[in-house]
Amino acid sequence: MNNKYHHIAIALAGATQSAILVPQLANTGICSAALYEQAIKSIFKTSPKTTDDVYDGIKNVKTGLQTLIQLLSSGQKEQTQIIRYLFGALSITSKLLKNKDALDKIDQRLKRISGLYLDINDETVSTNIDDLSYSLAGIYSDFVSPISTKIKVTGKIEFLQNSLVQAKVRTALLGCVRSAILWYQVGGSRFQFLFSRKRICEAAQQLLDQINRTN
């Protein structure tokens, strides 16, 4: 997989997949457990060998790839919230990448959190989901949110005022930022949304086809 746009599509799919969780949580108080746990695991993948290693394989960003294709196509009206959270995360990440102190502190905090567990695997994440949510939300609040204009989350007040839902929203946004960092690292830029949408779409479709052939 040497095509630059394959790597860009994988990272952008990861960011999209985390962005999907925010309106789910804000409007219903719950979200896809599989996608949420995948977002958490990706946050701890700070030294990946390959792009898809962040997600333990491209099969784990299938939903993100499908949604990304929809976002880049014409029918966007129902996807406006996802687009807003995705673009908000891309914007805040561009500023975060210029702040070495914040990045170092995030890395230190992630090491401290992961040190509490034998391994950040599926079982660990699902068993300790609430504790991990509060810990990762703390990283977002302490080091990401202050860097730029806050991402305004809209939804139903009874869910937005719930402390665990708030923590999960921040964790989902941190997952979005983690994938956005990867996106910038593999050559992503916001100009691509204007000039390379077709190429990203084609790469995402090729990756989807690859996943479907493997299944």
Side-chain angles (χ1 to χ4, degrees), residues 20-26 28-37 168 172:
I20 290 168
L21 300 167
V22 180
Q24 287 181 1
L25 287 161
T28 70
I30 56 173
C31 66
S32 164
L35 298 189
Y36 185 67
E37 289 172 20
K168 287 187 172 183

Side-chain angles (χ1 to χ4, degrees), residues 70-173:
Q70 291 170 5
L71 295 183
L72 295 174
S73 304
S74 54
Q76 292 183 351
K77 191 172 284 185
E78 68 281 7
Q79 310 281 7
T80 50
Q81 282 190 315
I82 297 170
I83 292 170
R84 188 162 60 80
Y85 297 131
L86 175 62
F87 275 56
L90 296 178
S91 177
I92 207 168
T93 301
S94 69
K95 295 178 174 67
L96 177 62
L97 287 168
K98 296 169 188 162
N99 191 323
K100 188 178 182 303
D101 183 54
L103 289 169
D104 287 345
K105 284 176 178 171
I106 290 170
D107 190 52
Q108 288 165 16
R109 186 82 71 85
L110 284 172
K111 283 175 179 166
R112 201 178 312 153
I113 296 166
S114 61
L116 299 172
Y117 308 96
L118 285 172
D119 187 25
I120 303 292
N121 56 26
D122 290 354
E123 186 181 354
T124 300
V125 173
S126 61
T127 306
N128 302 279
I129 196 79
D130 291 358
D131 288 342
L132 284 166
S133 296
Y134 283 116
S135 296
L136 294 173
I139 292 178
Y140 186 85
S141 296
D142 293 345
F143 307 120
V144 180
S145 191
I147 278 176
S148 181
T149 307
K150 288 186 178 180
I151 297 171
K152 184 171 169 41
V153 176
T154 56
K156 293 186 177 174
I157 195 74
E158 64 264 34
F159 303 124
L160 294 174
Q161 289 181 339
N162 180 290
S163 62
L164 182 56
V165 173
Q166 289 173 3
K168 287 187 172 183
V169 165
R170 291 185 181 113
T171 299
L173 289 171

Side-chain angles (χ1 to χ4, degrees), residues 41-60:
K41 285 185 290 178
S42 74
I43 292 167
F44 288 98
K45 292 286 181 74
T46 53
S47 301
K49 291 184 176 67
T50 62
T51 309
D52 55 332
D53 189 38
V54 174
Y55 312 103
D56 297 318
I58 59 169
K59 66 185 184 298
N60 291 316

